[in-house]
Amino acid sequence: MAAVSMRLPVARKAAGPSAPRGGEKHLVAPGDTITTDTGYMRGHGTYVEEEKLIASVAGAVERVNKLVCVKALKTRYNGEVGDIVVGRITEVQQKRWKVETNSRLDSVLLLSSMNLPGGELRRRSAEDELAMRDYLQEGDLISAEVQSVFSDGAVSLHTRSLKYGKLGQGVLVQVSPSLVKRQKTHFHDLPCGASVILGNNGFIWIYPTPEQKDEEAGGFTTNLEPVPLSDREVISRLRNCVVALVTEKLMLFDTSILYCYEASLPHQPTGQPQPAGVTQPGHQTSSRAGDRKYNTLQEARGQPVPVPPHPAPDRGSGVPCSSRASRGAV
């Protein structure tokens, strides 16, 4: 009979964050002196005064060779080429749309940077310019990709792929852009029956997974049929899971959202929400993510991975939850 190694739950020691090249990453507040060495170059979030490099924002110090910058922990979205964003149309102008993307300036979506209905490829004519409001109008939500960044920080978007375009029915959750983990893809079809678009700009779009994707519409046809109650409950639970992860300051990606969703299943979406209804699934997600990281390190070192006993779900905790999106509990 094979031996099974087990370990008792113990308090984890807080591991200090480390920076590359042996430098310890530390947090700074505005006005703190980062270094007095004049050999470093000033980056974003810093300024030089009396031959001292001083932080101008609150955040973590990052160093690349001789360039020192401070990455703010809570800030507006700073666009980068290739980012996936979710935005809202705020204005229709000549041959372009203004889009709110949680950045300092409104983003721009040019008429020439989007697919025509049906995916037709041709030059944009005056008729297309007159029909811009038929494509997108004020208040519409879209998913797009960052095409370029202007010198003033404004972002130019494009929706030339059929996976981008106008969004239909769903729930929009706005979080800090620093909590969205950068991944190879930000479109996730979750096994619970809903899909999530994790925008790099901090806009999270949760919607029911379509049975079949209409690729001939070019991203303009939206399904306005009533959403079943079961799908609405799943979407509300996922929305509340995102709120719980944000409350615990955990990174948002498909695995963390699934962990939190599974931790929230013992709670029924009825009754008056309580603070424990938000924090408990968040704590369980953090603990499960830590165990996964520990097991990965054990496998890399060639050591046996402990198999802890699977506890039964606690259905008698008496922690009520709410499925209403406006309450923010799991």
Side-chain angles (χ1 to χ4, degrees):
M1 184 175 179
V4 178
S5 60
M6 301 178 61
R7 61 187 178 91
L8 297 176
V10 294
R12 295 182 177 274
K13 296 182 180 180
S18 59
R21 300 185 183 277
E24 187 179 36
K25 182 183 296 185
H26 60 282
L27 300 177
V28 292
D32 289 351
T33 300
I34 301 175
T35 180
T36 57
D37 190 353
T38 58
Y40 287 97
M41 295 186 295
R42 178 177 64 88
H44 292 290
T46 63
Y47 65 95
V48 177
E49 186 178 87
E50 297 180 357
E51 297 184 354
K52 295 180 181 179
L53 192 62
I54 302 176
S56 60
V57 296
V61 178
E62 294 184 351
R63 180 171 67 92
V64 179
N65 295 332
K66 290 295 183 179
L67 178 65
V68 176
C69 60
V70 178
K71 184 178 181 181
L73 299 179
K74 189 175 182 181
T75 181
R76 286 277 188 168
Y77 169 64
N78 296 319
E80 296 183 11
V81 177
D83 284 354
I84 306 299
V85 299
V86 175
R88 187 184 297 275
I89 303 296
T90 59
E91 188 178 353
V92 181
Q93 297 181 347
Q94 184 178 7
K95 296 184 179 180
R96 68 186 62 195
W97 290 270
K98 289 284 188 176
V99 187
E100 163 61 26
T101 55
N102 196 25
S103 58
R104 296 182 179 88
L105 300 174
D106 284 340
S107 303
V108 177
L109 175 62
L110 299 177
L111 178 61
S112 59
S113 298
M114 63 178 298
N115 277 335
L116 294 175
E120 187 178 359
L121 299 177
R122 58 176 174 82
R123 290 178 62 88
R124 308 313 189 255
S125 61
E127 289 77 9
D128 295 326
E129 187 175 353
L130 293 175
M132 286 179 60
R133 289 185 185 275
D134 296 337
Y135 304 151
L136 297 172
Q137 58 183 351
E138 291 87 347
D140 288 345
L141 286 169
I142 64 170
S143 61
E145 182 178 338
V146 176
Q147 182 179 16
S148 60
V149 181
F150 300 112
S151 58
D152 58 353
V155 172
S156 177
L157 307 175
H158 81 87
T159 60
R160 291 196 180 96
S161 176
L162 293 179
K163 64 181 179 180
Y164 307 132
K166 186 177 179 180
L167 300 177
Q169 300 186 90
V171 174
L172 179 68
V173 186
Q174 184 175 353
V175 303
S176 176
S178 60
L179 294 178
V180 179
K181 184 178 180 180
R182 293 185 177 273
Q183 293 181 291
K184 188 176 181 179
T185 176
H186 287 255
F187 293 81
H188 301 286
D189 294 336
L190 303 180
C192 57
S195 300
V196 178
I197 302 178
L198 302 175
N200 290 111
N201 59 333
F203 286 179
I204 312 298
W205 180 251
I206 308 173
Y207 61 100
T209 302
E211 296 181 358
Q212 57 182 2
K213 297 182 179 180
D214 189 5
E215 297 183 353
E216 298 180 356
F220 290 99
T221 301
T222 56
N223 185 11
L224 299 180
E225 296 181 359
V227 181
L229 177 61
S230 59
D231 291 344
R232 295 201 303 269
E233 289 182 352
V234 171
I235 292 174
S236 299
R237 188 182 292 272
L238 285 174
R239 182 264 178 196
N240 297 332
C241 289
V242 172
V243 174
L245 293 174
V246 172
T247 303
E248 295 296 320
K249 299 296 186 295
L250 297 176
M251 297 296 292
L252 296 176
F253 55 104
D254 54 340
T255 305
S256 64
I257 295 176
L258 275 178
Y259 282 176
C260 190
Y261 180 85
E262 295 174 0
S264 68
L265 290 178
H267 305 285
Q268 298 300 324
T270 57
Q272 184 67 23
Q274 294 182 1
V278 174
T279 57
Q280 184 175 356
H283 287 320
Q284 294 178 5
T285 304
S286 177
S287 175
R288 186 174 178 182
D291 292 340
R292 182 186 180 189
K293 184 177 181 181
Y294 174 81
N295 294 340
T296 303
L297 292 176
Q298 291 290 93
E299 292 178 354
R301 295 169 181 171
Q303 300 177 2
V305 178
V307 182
H310 190 275
D314 184 10
R315 299 184 180 273
S317 59
V319 179
C321 304
S322 172
S323 63
R324 297 183 59 184
S326 59
R327 290 183 178 177
V330 177

